């Protein structure tokens, strides 16, 4: 009994220490992000007259607008690894150290920044507002799917109303941009207008940004900006996939070939000898072998089994 009590006490103590360290790391991480953002806005970002910022509160049509601007600036092409490749998340550039100067004009950025935090430059600002009730529900499901949120909607709704969610209060965010809707470089749109009249809204966006649309391109743009098309290519827009793309991951490469003997196209003879010698030293004495029909070899030093006539099957999934 005493031993169990001591174990529980030590476990709780270690859990408390771990929690404090996690909170400390969150605070330090937040400070680092703030410093990086100041560096980005004050030093690294240089505004261009044809820059376009897509600004929204999260879950308000950001990805849809990214796709629309991508289609408008590329004549309807679809040759990207991820939408972030051509339309980066502006504030994340402070963290991932992306060089925005290397992007060709017209540059298109997405952002969730409130009006007072947004750098005021020479470019255009497209703000999209969505019904806050729909935003709350969509944001709740995003929290569950991407942030491992374990509470119910009632708890999330209270936090949403208080502004205790990522990017703060929806009310303040929309209010800040609505108050500046009459500025000549700001176009305030509603998400519902995109749904009601997609073609008309796209033409309005194109005119505001000074982007001509070829008549033959509009049907293709409309088709590729449809929900069904974007759902079929969801990996190109997913936030988690964006983080992986930023870190250099190549999509759709987890299952590669599944072939046996693919190593022969990569190993040099010296590398093969080195591997075989290490294999013999560590595993050969145990009778394990990939020799004969179960493997391939191109030099006479390949190890053979000792006391085993069968080799283990290599899984086609490796």
């Amino acid at each position: 009994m005493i031993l169990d009590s001591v174990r529980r006490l030590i476990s709780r103590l270690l859990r408390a220490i771990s929690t404090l360290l996690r909170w400390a790391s969150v605070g330090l991480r937040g400070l680092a992000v703030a410093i990086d953002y100041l560096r980005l806005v004050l030093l690294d970002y240089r505004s261009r007259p044809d820059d376009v910022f897509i600004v929204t509160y999260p879950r308000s049509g950001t990805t849809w607008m990214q796709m629309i601007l991508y289609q408008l600036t590329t004549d309807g092409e679809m040759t990207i690894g991820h939408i972030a490749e051509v339309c980066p998340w502006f504030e994340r550039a402070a963290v991932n150290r992306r060089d925005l100067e290397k992007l060709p004009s017209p540059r298109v950025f997405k952002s969730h920044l409130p009006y007072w935090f947004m750098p005021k430059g020479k470019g255009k600002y497209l703000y999209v507002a969505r019904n806050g009730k729909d935003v709350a529900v969509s944001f709740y499901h995003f929290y569950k799917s991407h942030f491992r949120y374990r509470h119910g909607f009632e708890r999330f709704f209270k936090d949403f109303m208080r502004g205790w969610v990522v990017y703060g209060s929806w009310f303040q965010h929309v209010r800040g941009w609505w108050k500046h809707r009459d500025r000549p470089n700001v176009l305030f749109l509603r998400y519902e207008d995109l749904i009601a009249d997609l073609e008309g809204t796209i033409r309005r966006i194109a005119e505001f940004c000074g982007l001509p649309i070829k008549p033959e391109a509009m049907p293709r743009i409309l088709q590729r900006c449809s929900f069904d098309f974007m759902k079929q290519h969801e990996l190109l827009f997913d936030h988690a996939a964006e983080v992986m793309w930023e870190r250099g991951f190549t999509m759709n490469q987890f299952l590669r070939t599944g072939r046996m003997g693919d190593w022969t196209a990569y190993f040099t003879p010296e590398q093969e000898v080195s591997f075989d010698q290490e294999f013999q030293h560590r595993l050969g004495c145990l009778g394990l072998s990939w020799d004969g029909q179960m493997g391939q070899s191109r030099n006479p030093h390949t190890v053979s089994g000792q006391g085993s006539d069968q080799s283990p099957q290599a899984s086609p999934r490796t």
Side-chain angles (χ1 to χ4, degrees):
M1 293 291 294
I2 296 178
L3 183 58
D4 288 341
S5 298
V6 171
R7 285 176 175 171
R8 284 194 294 269
L9 179 62
I10 295 175
S11 175
R12 290 172 182 171
L13 178 60
L14 291 176
R15 182 184 300 172
I17 294 173
S18 174
T19 301
L20 288 174
L21 289 175
R22 280 199 296 271
W23 278 109
S25 67
V26 169
L28 291 174
R29 174 68 174 172
L31 179 60
V33 169
I35 292 173
D36 280 336
Y37 181 71
L38 288 175
R39 172 187 51 78
L40 172 67
V41 173
L42 300 178
L43 300 174
D44 294 350
Y45 171 67
R46 292 192 288 275
S47 178
R48 300 177 190 171
D50 55 358
D51 282 348
V52 178
F53 281 88
I54 298 167
V55 191
T56 67
Y57 188 86
R59 315 307 294 170
S60 299
T62 325
T63 304
W64 199 1
M65 287 294 293
Q66 284 180 282
M67 185 60 164
I68 290 172
L69 266 296
Y70 174 59
Q71 295 298 304
L72 289 176
T73 55
T74 61
D75 266 344
E77 293 180 8
M78 196 64 190
T79 56
I80 52 175
H82 191 278
I83 196 68
E85 182 180 340
V86 291
C87 182
W89 191 346
F90 180 77
E91 48 266 41
R92 277 192 63 82
V95 178
N96 60 32
R97 305 294 199 275
R98 186 166 180 183
D99 188 354
L100 302 181
E101 289 300 309
K102 292 183 178 180
L103 292 173
S105 294
R107 297 182 300 185
V108 181
F109 306 106
K110 88 165 186 178
S111 176
H112 296 310
L113 291 173
Y115 181 83
W116 48 88
F117 284 156
M118 177 65 65
K120 310 304 187 294
K122 309 169 187 176
K124 304 289 181 67
Y125 299 86
L126 293 166
Y127 187 82
V128 183
R130 185 183 186 186
N131 186 317
K133 297 174 184 177
D134 286 330
V135 171
V137 173
S138 182
F139 214 1
Y140 165 67
H141 286 286
F142 183 81
Y143 259 59
K144 290 183 66 176
S145 62
H146 287 69
F147 295 161
R148 296 187 295 178
Y149 189 75
R150 295 185 177 90
H151 302 291
F153 180 71
E154 182 178 357
R155 165 75 174 272
F156 179 84
F157 178 73
K158 290 180 180 178
D159 290 340
F160 179 83
M161 294 298 291
R162 294 167 178 158
W164 293 356
V165 291
V166 177
Y167 285 97
S169 168
W170 174 85
F171 300 94
Q172 291 181 9
H173 203 286
V174 174
R175 175 185 173 90
W177 280 95
W178 176 253
K179 289 171 63 177
H180 297 90
R181 67 190 183 280
D182 293 328
R183 291 182 177 271
N185 64 338
V186 174
L187 178 61
F188 192 101
L189 300 169
R190 295 189 312 166
Y191 177 88
E192 292 73 17
D193 295 332
L194 285 164
I195 293 179
D197 183 11
L198 180 58
E199 181 175 351
T201 307
I202 288 177
R203 291 190 183 279
R204 187 180 173 192
I205 292 169
E207 181 180 0
F208 175 75
C209 296
L211 299 171
I213 305 176
K214 296 178 181 178
E216 64 273 16
M218 180 56 80
R220 185 173 65 248
I221 292 173
L222 290 173
Q223 189 265 333
R224 291 183 175 176
C225 291
S226 67
F227 179 84
D228 289 341
F229 182 88
M230 293 181 64
K231 186 66 176 177
Q232 292 172 11
H233 300 82
E234 188 171 5
L235 193 61
L236 303 181
F237 309 105
D238 189 273
H239 169 66
E242 178 178 358
V243 175
M244 294 177 66
W245 178 84
E246 289 175 350
R247 295 178 179 177
F249 286 82
T250 303
M251 301 300 152
N252 301 315
Q253 289 296 309
F254 181 68
L255 303 179
R256 201 175 62 83
T257 66
R259 295 193 302 265
M260 293 191 306
D262 202 30
W263 62 268
T264 58
Y266 294 86
F267 274 51
T268 66
E270 292 77 13
Q271 290 169 336
E272 184 181 0
V273 169
S274 175
F275 180 91
D276 288 348
Q277 289 176 345
E278 189 69 10
F279 184 98
Q280 182 65 39
H281 174 67
R282 294 178 178 271
L283 297 173
C285 60
L286 303 178
L288 182 63
S289 171
W290 271 263
D291 214 0
Q293 64 176 0
M294 297 310 302
Q296 299 182 34
S297 177
R298 63 185 176 203
N299 84 54
H301 301 288
T302 301
V303 297
S304 57
Q306 298 178 13
S308 176
D309 295 329
Q310 296 184 352
S311 304
Q313 291 276 357
S315 169
R317 291 174 292 180
T318 59

